[in-house]
Amino acid sequence: QVQLVESGGGLVQAGGSLRLSCAASGRTFSSYPMGWFRQAPGKEREFVAAISRGGGTTNYTDFVQGRFTISRDNAKSAVYLQLNNLHPDPTAAYYCAASPLLSLTPNLVRYDIWGQGTQVTVAS
């Protein structure tokens, strides 16, 4: 079983950048497609990006296309989310998650291992 711990969140000015990290424990990390989701207070958790087991295929939601980049390093058992040109969106917690499925699904119910989240606040 993989356990996930996110880090890298914080306060950033609009237009700025952050790099979120998700460290995984367990020897089976490379067998999981990974996803990033975010959730603002009072709102549903929403899909941000996903990456295949080997890192060669990615999927993004439309609102982050060209601004966010998901990547992974299986040797380090880590997945990353580079956030560039951040918009002054409401504060949100970003979560990484592992899926037992091969497809890079945006459906959060298809992910069965979750981290505790890291908060991102963008100041206007």
Side-chain angles (χ1 to χ4, degrees), residues 4-104:
L4 305 173
V5 178
E6 302 93 334
S7 62
L11 173 64
V12 63
Q13 294 292 319
S17 298
L18 280 175
R19 189 191 194 208
L20 307 183
S21 299
C22 173
S25 61
R27 290 178 291 179
T28 59
F29 173 75
S30 61
S31 67
Y32 291 91
M34 298 294 297
W36 282 97
F37 293 77
R38 72 178 188 181
Q39 186 170 21
K43 296 192 174 182
E44 294 185 351
R45 192 168 298 189
E46 60 182 355
F47 173 75
V48 176
I51 190 166
S52 61
R53 295 179 298 177
T57 304
T58 56
N59 184 25
Y60 295 93
T61 190
D62 288 345
F63 69 79
V64 305
Q65 284 281 1
R67 298 189 298 121
F68 293 4
T69 303
I70 188 171
S71 61
R72 69 189 295 162
D73 185 338
N74 286 340
K76 296 183 178 179
S77 296
V79 61
Y80 309 99
L81 186 67
Q82 178 69 40
L83 289 64
N84 295 329
N85 190 21
L86 282 161
H87 294 169
D89 294 325
T91 293
Y94 281 73
Y95 299 88
C96 67
S99 172
L101 305 176
L102 294 180
S103 64
L104 304 185

